[in-house]
Amino acid sequence: MKITKLLSIGFIGLLAVSCSSDDKNSDESILSTKEQALQNVVVDYVDYSVLPVYTAMADATVELQTLCHEMQSKHTAGTLTSADVEKAGQVWKKARKNWELSEAFLFGPAANHNIDPHIDSWPLDKAAMDNLLTQIRNGNSWSLENNGGYGLIGFHAIEYMLFELTADGNNSKVHSLNYTPEEMEYLVAVADDLCQQCVCLEACWIGLDNISEVKQQILEEAELDYGENYGWEMKHAASAGSRFKTYQEAVEEIIQGCIDIADEVGNTKIGRPHLGSSQEDKNYIESPYSLNSIEDFVDNIYSIRNVYEGTSSTRYSLSSYIKSVDSEVDAQVRKAIADAVAAIEVIPEPFAKNASGQLSEIAMKAAGTNLVEALEEAMTVVTERK
């Protein structure tokens, strides 16, 4: 209808009027109305969807690193308690939540610098991990660079040591605290490495000069600095120094990140163990030792929601832009996000015992098919509509 078209034109015009001069192209006159609207979306996406998550994750891994060092000191002194292990486990879950909330934007630094596989390769090879820990107990030499690759470091190695090594066969926490000094040394080394990678990820998005002095020191000691400010590049598309030629190009990458994680949640994280064509597939479970699998999956969908709909601070969301062009597509995406969350949340833990059930099949379709297709429609709105 004509009224709808006028409202759409008016909304896009309104979107073009935001953002401080610091975040806008130095010569806005060269941007089309569409590009100005997408610029606003990208700026808010970086500032309110991406940066707070990476900052919170880095903060949590700094805290986790400190707690693991304290565990080692207390273990040496003979004063380590189950409460110490439980506290570290809770902070691991806090860091883990923010990582899962970031998985809709695993492009850019997380992919380019192999940070994603470095800290989140899964499933953990339990047999290899047990063998490594046996070697460590026996005093054999080891290093993070030569211990079997990414699969035995990162989030899931720490998860195994904080949850599985202090649990009985049913994951009921018994906290025998039978760590050896060598195992504590390994735990601390992996926690240090995880912290360094997560702080690096924050620095790559916001710029080294914009993280805390404590975090700058962490990266300096690790000799880890890529000299990158990916967030600035996205916010200054079409400017000198940015890899993005247009804001549409940046938005396409944003939507593709959402599509990729929706597909992974539905067809890999849930779908692969659900189909279970082999024992390897049945054991392809993320975060099984902490019983955090379902929360991981839900947080992945929340990461899509936070990107698409924005957060409480967002002024110009991707949803708002899509709605201004095609309100039906926007409604479809919002519904698909909500449906995927609802479908996943009802799967009971432990996921390993429920992956093959009907609830998992419903969740697999909700995320891996319906949500993917809805997001693909949103991509079409951005790429094919003027």
Side-chain angles (χ1 to χ4, degrees):
M1 295 176 62
K2 291 183 178 180
I3 294 178
T4 303
K5 291 181 179 179
L6 288 172
L7 288 173
S8 297
I9 293 171
F11 182 83
I12 293 175
L14 179 62
L15 284 179
V17 184
S18 74
C19 302
S20 67
S21 58
D22 290 340
D23 288 333
K24 297 186 77 65
N25 193 291
S26 58
D27 185 5
E28 283 189 10
S29 63
I30 66 173
L31 297 179
S32 67
T33 301
K34 177 180 178 181
E35 277 288 287
Q36 289 179 47
L38 293 179
Q39 178 188 33
N40 292 337
V41 171
V42 171
V43 169
D44 275 15
Y45 162 79
V46 171
D47 287 346
Y48 304 125
S49 294
V50 177
L51 298 184
V53 171
Y54 278 148
T55 298
M57 180 175 66
D59 289 346
T61 56
V62 171
E63 184 181 1
L64 179 60
Q65 176 192 42
T66 299
L67 291 175
C68 288
H69 278 267
E70 289 178 357
M71 283 178 59
Q72 183 184 38
S73 297
K74 290 182 177 181
H75 181 270
T76 300
T79 59
L80 182 66
T81 68
S82 61
D84 296 321
V85 182
E86 289 171 359
K87 184 176 181 180
Q90 290 305 309
V91 175
W92 178 89
K93 288 190 173 185
K94 180 167 63 173
R96 183 69 186 167
K97 173 174 282 292
N98 282 289
W99 170 251
E100 296 302 312
L101 288 172
S102 80
E103 290 209 351
F105 33 95
L106 285 182
F107 51 80
N112 297 342
H113 307 307
N114 291 321
I115 296 174
D116 176 19
H118 190 129
I119 67 176
D120 194 37
S121 288
W122 58 275
L124 182 85
D125 187 333
K126 187 178 186 301
M129 189 70 189
D130 287 339
N131 180 61
L132 172 64
L133 293 176
T134 297
Q135 293 182 36
I136 291 174
R137 292 185 198 105
N138 292 336
N140 294 340
S141 61
W142 59 272
S143 69
L144 292 185
E145 295 76 23
N146 187 30
N147 67 350
Y150 288 156
L152 301 181
I153 58 177
F155 276 109
H156 297 296
I158 297 175
E159 176 196 14
Y160 188 80
M161 299 190 76
L162 292 180
F163 294 92
E164 180 69 3
L165 290 190
T166 55
D168 63 22
N170 296 314
N171 280 84
S172 297
K173 300 300 174 287
V174 294
H175 290 300
S176 60
L177 305 179
N178 289 329
Y179 293 108
T180 65
E182 295 80 13
E183 288 171 345
M184 294 305 303
E185 184 179 354
Y186 186 74
L187 172 64
V188 165
V190 177
D192 287 347
D193 180 68
L194 176 67
C195 174
Q196 292 160 7
Q197 293 295 317
C198 290
V199 170
C200 179
L201 194 49
E202 179 190 9
C204 284
W205 269 88
I206 198 172
L208 182 64
D209 293 341
N210 297 313
I211 63 175
S212 70
E213 291 184 6
V214 170
K215 292 174 180 176
Q216 289 181 32
Q217 183 66 28
I218 288 171
L219 295 185
E220 182 178 343
E221 291 176 357
E223 298 182 349
L224 192 59
D225 173 22
Y226 294 106
E228 186 174 22
N229 190 331
Y230 197 83
W232 183 94
E233 290 190 45
M234 290 200 91
K235 290 161 64 174
H236 294 81
S239 298
S242 174
R243 73 193 71 195
F244 298 98
K245 296 179 180 179
T246 64
Y247 286 101
Q248 178 175 315
E249 183 180 315
V251 170
E252 288 175 22
E253 182 154 52
I254 291 168
I255 298 175
Q256 188 60 51
C258 293
I259 293 171
D260 290 344
I261 191 58
D263 175 73
E264 182 177 345
V265 170
N267 297 313
T268 300
K269 294 187 177 186
I270 298 175
R272 186 164 169 176
H274 171 74
L275 296 173
S277 58
S278 68
Q279 189 61 36
E280 180 182 348
D281 289 333
K282 292 178 182 178
N283 293 330
Y284 202 80
I285 309 290
E286 186 176 36
S287 302
Y289 307 111
S290 57
L291 301 181
N292 214 61
S293 304
I294 302 304
E295 185 168 351
D296 278 4
F297 306 158
V298 170
D299 285 338
N300 283 167
I301 306 302
Y302 283 156
S303 73
I304 296 172
R305 185 188 66 183
N306 293 344
V307 166
Y308 185 77
E309 299 179 19
T311 67
S312 60
S313 299
T314 303
R315 299 162 296 177
Y316 304 100
S317 68
L318 182 56
S319 171
S320 298
Y321 176 78
I322 298 296
K323 184 177 181 180
S324 74
V325 181
D326 192 322
S327 60
E328 183 176 340
V329 169
D330 174 64
Q332 289 173 351
V333 175
R334 285 174 170 268
K335 183 178 186 302
I337 291 171
D339 288 349
V341 169
I344 295 169
E345 282 184 327
V346 297
I347 304 172
E349 287 281 14
F351 179 63
K353 293 184 178 180
N354 296 287
S356 61
Q358 185 178 16
L359 292 177
S360 293
E361 182 176 0
I362 294 170
M364 180 174 67
K365 181 177 180 181
T369 300
N370 299 345
L371 181 52
V372 167
E373 290 177 352
L375 288 165
E376 287 173 343
E377 286 296 316
M379 179 74 87
T380 299
V381 170
V382 170
T383 58
E384 297 185 5
R385 307 286 183 88
K386 293 184 179 180

